[in-house]
Amino acid sequence: MSWEPEIKELRYREELARKMGGEERVSKHKSFGKLTVRERIDGLLDEGTFHETGAIAGKARYDEDGNLIDFTPANFILGTGRVNGRKVVVGGDDFTVRGGAADGAIHGKQVYAERLAHDLQLPIIRLVDGTGGGGSVKTLDSSGHTYIPVNPAWDLVVANMERVPVVAACMGSVAGLGAARVAASHFSVMVEDTSQLFVAGPPVVKYGMGQDLTKEELGGIQVHRSSGAVDNVAKSEEDAFEQIRAFLSYLPSNVWQLPSIAQVEDDPNRREENLINFIPRNRRSPYKIRELLPMLFDHNSIFEMGRYYGGGTVTCLARLNGHPVGVLAPDPFVNGGGLTAESSEKLECFVDMCQTFHLPIVNLVDQPGMVIGLPHEKKGTIRKGVRAISAVYQAKIPMIEIIMRRVFGVGGAGMSNGHGLNQRYAWPSGDWGSLPVEGGVHVAYRRELEASEDPEALLKDLLERMESIRSPFRTAEAFGVEEIIDPRDSRPLLCEWVKDAYELLPQQLGPSLHGMRP
């Protein structure tokens, strides 16, 4: 006797599930310029690789004879697929069913997605479009009681941050637990114009805080471009998918594997002539760091994260002769490149991510130290700066410094672990010390300057005397810096270093001693 009737019913139920919230709701959803969750999954994954799990989970109604008369699928779709040939877990909210809220979901599906990534040691991608939390208060009418909240699968959410790449995309109006699922990631992106992110949406905020705001005003791009809640902004959903694919290409599938080395055509011995005059002789003149990066790293390999949060510190992924690396660099146009509370948080999180996934770090140093002044004292900059320095000291991955200009104070000293093998190269433009000479002279010679009949002339004499002493060649004479190099030699030296770094990485595979937090 054949089981063909059951297979026929299975296919029928799968067809019903693919209709999602129905034609009317799907049309309304797409009218806002948004893709459906199934279109998103197809657009993100390699063609034809999606294998769905739990497709026919949902809420069904039957007639008196037990025949199916109505079916609403769960508003969370999960499965596995491939991104650039690599297997991943993907889970997405279906906004066309109850707005992606929990009362249209089956929490077991979200839990299963996290468990699948955790136990199979696969990267997980969350396409978040809804609240995903407790759902509407209306559900209390049917349940007859309230409850103490527990975030579904949060033990796995936390554990996954320590073992597999976690990516999250904010694809619509995302609140509560949905917003938390976006933030609990190694890389997050939200879509311009069609996505918003908040702890609670406008109606709750209006009632609880008396603030009457639209969704865009409360949690749109103009809020979160520089809030630090998400890493990057995408111009479209397709752009978000491209950023996700790019981010994953630098990371291994889990902490027990090494990052994949790409085939490149860029010459590892490339010497850029413009490097010889890139750093201005006037120490007060800034320069455009993003024009420098392509001169050092493989062509078209730079992927920046969190550009507008903690902007004085640039964090990006890149490649050296095909080898993925993390990059720390200054932006002198933002607070002189100094460490603020925000840039310290950004640096700490980025270093921890590189440590988690065994990415060597190239640190391009022009660090004037922690930013000073009352506003920064009020933000507790010293504590957050110390946390960032601690992340650098705790990191066991290979790290190299290219000292381009300034290294001053606690912040400058904390850019590398000076108590270990401190691999570094300095450019002739290097300038370092406990304080910049200009400011230090005013402090050290305050009494003499106050007592002088001509303080301006004395100050000029002192600065001229210090100018020769501050030469990096004087430091090299005392072996206070290991090598001063022609800046044009930087890329060849970095490409040689990264080969040595990757020889050491197999000894470090597995989870880090301290877990990664968002």
Side-chain angles (χ1 to χ4, degrees):
M1 188 174 178
S2 172
W3 290 93
E4 195 63 42
E6 283 76 11
I7 297 302
K8 185 176 180 181
E9 181 176 357
L10 172 63
R11 299 292 175 245
Y12 173 63
R13 288 173 179 258
E14 290 173 342
E15 183 61 32
L16 292 175
R18 281 191 286 269
K19 293 180 180 179
M20 296 171 284
E23 185 176 341
E24 182 180 343
R25 290 179 180 175
V26 168
S27 296
K28 183 178 180 181
H29 178 81
K30 291 176 70 68
S31 71
F32 295 112
K34 298 165 65 175
L35 299 174
T36 67
V37 64
R38 292 187 177 278
E39 289 172 333
R40 288 167 177 166
I41 290 171
D42 288 343
L44 170 66
L45 300 179
D46 297 350
E47 186 176 357
T49 63
F50 182 52
H51 178 86
E52 187 172 357
T53 300
I56 63 172
K59 297 178 180 178
R61 288 195 302 117
Y62 298 89
D63 62 21
E64 294 178 354
D65 298 323
N67 298 309
L68 180 68
I69 58 174
D70 188 32
F71 178 74
T72 302
N75 60 10
F76 183 80
I77 295 174
L78 79 100
T80 58
R82 296 189 180 274
V83 172
N84 296 327
R86 178 191 302 178
K87 194 169 187 177
V88 300
V89 175
V90 62
D93 299 328
D94 183 0
F95 194 80
T96 70
V97 179
R98 297 289 302 151
D103 49 3
I106 294 177
H107 281 155
K109 295 188 74 175
Q110 281 188 20
V111 174
Y112 191 84
E114 298 291 335
R115 174 65 69 186
L116 200 61
H118 181 277
D119 288 11
L120 296 185
Q121 299 169 10
L122 296 173
I124 182 169
I125 303 168
R126 306 186 191 115
L127 304 176
V128 187
D129 192 355
T131 62
S136 170
V137 173
K138 287 182 178 179
T139 59
L140 301 182
D141 279 339
S142 57
S143 66
H145 61 86
T146 187
Y147 59 92
I148 298 174
V150 175
N151 295 330
W154 211 254
D155 56 338
L156 295 169
V157 168
V158 173
N160 280 337
M161 290 286 292
E162 302 176 13
R163 47 198 289 145
V164 298
V166 180
V167 178
C170 177
M171 308 300 290
S173 296
V174 174
L177 181 58
R181 290 168 58 218
V182 171
S185 61
H186 299 109
F187 174 65
S188 58
V189 60
M190 65 186 298
V191 181
E192 206 167 278
D193 298 328
T194 58
S195 68
Q196 301 85 32
L197 183 80
F198 18 65
V199 176
V204 178
V205 169
K206 183 177 181 180
Y207 176 79
M209 305 299 293
Q211 300 170 4
D212 192 2
L213 301 167
T214 66
K215 291 190 296 185
E216 270 303 301
E217 291 169 339
L218 180 61
I221 294 301
Q222 80 283 354
V223 175
H224 290 304
R225 190 185 298 276
S226 59
S227 73
V230 295
D231 295 305
N232 285 13
V233 171
K235 294 185 179 300
S236 65
E237 295 195 12
E238 290 80 6
D239 181 29
F241 303 151
E242 186 56 40
Q243 291 194 41
I244 291 170
R245 287 190 288 265
F247 173 78
L248 288 174
S249 71
Y250 296 91
L251 269 59
S253 291
N254 56 60
V255 299
W256 292 274
Q257 297 180 12
L258 289 176
S260 297
I261 301 172
Q263 294 292 323
V264 293
E265 297 181 359
D266 199 354
D267 183 1
N269 295 312
R270 172 165 54 91
R271 299 175 81 252
E272 293 280 357
E273 285 300 317
N274 288 340
L275 287 172
I276 195 63
N277 55 19
F278 193 85
I279 303 297
R281 281 194 170 271
N282 182 344
R283 296 186 181 95
R284 298 180 66 88
S285 295
Y287 51 86
K288 295 182 178 179
I289 187 65
R290 292 173 183 85
E291 293 181 1
L292 171 68
L293 298 179
M295 300 185 200
L296 301 179
F297 300 97
D298 294 351
H299 291 313
N300 302 314
S301 75
I302 296 161
F303 181 81
E304 186 171 354
M305 298 171 59
R307 177 168 183 169
Y308 298 101
Y309 178 72
T313 298
V314 176
T315 52
C316 54
L317 301 172
R319 291 186 175 87
L320 285 168
N321 198 22
H323 298 72
V325 294
V327 180
L328 297 171
D331 186 349
F333 280 91
V334 183
N335 292 306
L339 285 177
T340 62
E342 294 83 1
S343 62
S344 295
E345 289 180 344
K346 178 179 176 180
L347 188 152
E348 175 192 353
C349 189
F350 186 78
V351 170
D352 282 350
M353 185 190 73
C354 291
Q355 169 65 25
T356 298
F357 294 109
H358 320 299
L359 286 174
I361 291 179
V362 177
N363 197 348
L364 305 176
V365 179
D366 182 2
Q367 181 52 257
M370 297 183 199
V371 179
I372 60 177
L374 181 59
H376 299 283
E377 298 294 351
K378 286 183 174 181
K379 290 183 177 181
T381 299
I382 184 65
R383 177 181 285 275
K384 291 172 182 175
V386 168
R387 285 182 62 90
I389 293 169
S390 298
V392 171
Y393 268 70
Q394 288 177 320
K396 305 303 180 186
I397 47 174
M399 191 179 300
I400 192 168
E401 274 189 323
I402 300 290
I403 301 176
M404 302 183 298
R405 192 156 64 175
R406 298 162 298 176
V407 184
F408 289 115
V410 174
M415 290 298 98
S416 67
N417 183 348
H419 303 284
L421 176 61
N422 199 7
Q423 286 191 277
R424 60 188 175 188
Y425 298 106
W427 290 356
S429 46
D431 186 27
W432 38 64
S434 58
L435 285 170
V437 167
E438 293 81 0
V441 164
H442 281 88
V443 174
Y445 292 90
R446 179 174 59 84
R447 291 183 180 179
E448 291 88 338
L449 289 167
E450 290 175 349
S452 174
E453 294 181 359
D454 190 351
E456 290 187 11
L458 176 58
L459 178 62
K460 181 179 178 182
D461 180 63
L462 289 169
L463 289 174
E464 287 176 352
R465 189 172 3 138
M466 296 292 178
E467 189 62 32
S468 62
I469 297 174
R470 79 195 292 181
S471 165
F473 296 112
R474 295 283 190 99
T475 308
E477 287 174 7
F479 200 57
V481 63
E482 293 75 20
E483 287 190 57
I484 298 175
I485 64 169
D486 183 334
R488 292 168 292 193
D489 291 332
S490 298
R491 174 173 166 80
L493 287 169
L494 287 172
C495 287
E496 181 63 26
W497 163 80
V498 81
K499 289 190 295 184
D500 294 337
Y502 267 72
E503 289 294 324
L504 297 174
L505 291 182
Q507 305 170 34
Q508 301 186 7
L509 294 181
S512 296
L513 293 177
H514 56 93
M516 173 80 189
R517 299 171 187 166

